[in-house]
Amino acid sequence: MRGIVFTVLGLLPLVCGHPYYRDYIPNGYAVFNPCGASYWQAVGHYDPNHHTVMKNPFGVALSNNNHIWNEALCRADSDGDGKTNGEELGDPNCVFTLGSSPSQASSGHPGICEPIGSGPCANVAFRCGCHGNACTG
C-alpha cells in the first residue's frame, strides 16, 4: 500500500501541470479568454482550465524558450493571428520582467488564434468548449 501511495505522489506533478509558469509572463493570471468571460487559466494549453499534454503554439514557444519571457518571445506571433505575444499579453514594448506589472491588460491570447474561425484564423482547427486533445480537430 505504501508503495502505491509513493507512486501516485511521484506521478502527481506530471499530471497537474505547472501553473507557476503564469508568474513568468505578463498578465499570466489575467490572460484574455476568447471563448468566454473568465480568464484563461492554463495559458500554454488548449483547454482554458486544465493543463493537458498537448500545448498550444504559445505553450510550445514558451517551453522551447526555457520558460523565459524575453524580447524574442514577446515579439513573436506564436498563434499566427497578426498580433505579437507581447501585444496580446499587455507588454507591447517588451519590457516586462519577473515580478513587475505589465503596462496594459491582456487583450488577446498568445496561443489561440483569434478571432476564432475567421480572418487569419479561418483555417485553424481549434474550437471553443473542447477538452484535451479534442481541441484541435
Side-chain angles (χ1 to χ4, degrees), residues 28-123:
Y29 289 86
V31 174
F32 174 77
N33 182 347
C35 296
S38 64
Y39 295 124
W40 198 281
Q41 300 298 314
V43 181
H45 302 268
Y46 284 108
D47 189 310
N49 299 306
H50 302 287
H51 297 86
T52 58
V53 172
M54 188 174 204
K55 294 182 179 106
N56 63 41
F58 178 73
V60 171
L62 183 64
S63 179
N64 289 343
N65 205 45
N66 296 314
H67 304 102
I68 297 171
W69 180 258
N70 58 18
E71 188 168 358
L73 184 60
C74 178
R75 299 216 182 276
D77 177 14
S78 295
D79 58 12
D81 61 6
K83 293 175 271 181
T84 68
N85 296 332
E87 289 171 321
E88 293 190 284
L89 290 175
D91 185 25
N93 298 315
C94 302
V95 296
F96 174 82
T97 57
L98 185 63
S100 68
S101 295
S103 60
Q104 302 172 8
S106 70
S107 61
H109 191 295
I112 304 297
C113 191
E114 57 201 90
I116 295 169
S118 63
C121 309
N123 294 323

Side-chain angles (χ1 to χ4, degrees), residues 1-46:
M1 178 67 171
R2 198 161 91 178
I4 292 172
V5 170
F6 285 124
T7 300
V8 169
L9 290 176
L11 293 174
L12 197 56
L14 298 175
V15 298
C16 288
H18 303 286
Y20 54 84
Y21 288 148
R22 295 185 292 171
D23 292 333
Y24 303 164
I25 61 172
N27 290 305
Y29 289 86
V31 174
F32 174 77
N33 182 347
C35 296
S38 64
Y39 295 124
W40 198 281
Q41 300 298 314
V43 181
H45 302 268
Y46 284 108

Side-chain angles (χ1 to χ4, degrees), residues 35 48 126-131 135:
C35 296
F126 174 81
R127 62 182 176 75
C128 292
C130 62
H131 297 285
C135 293

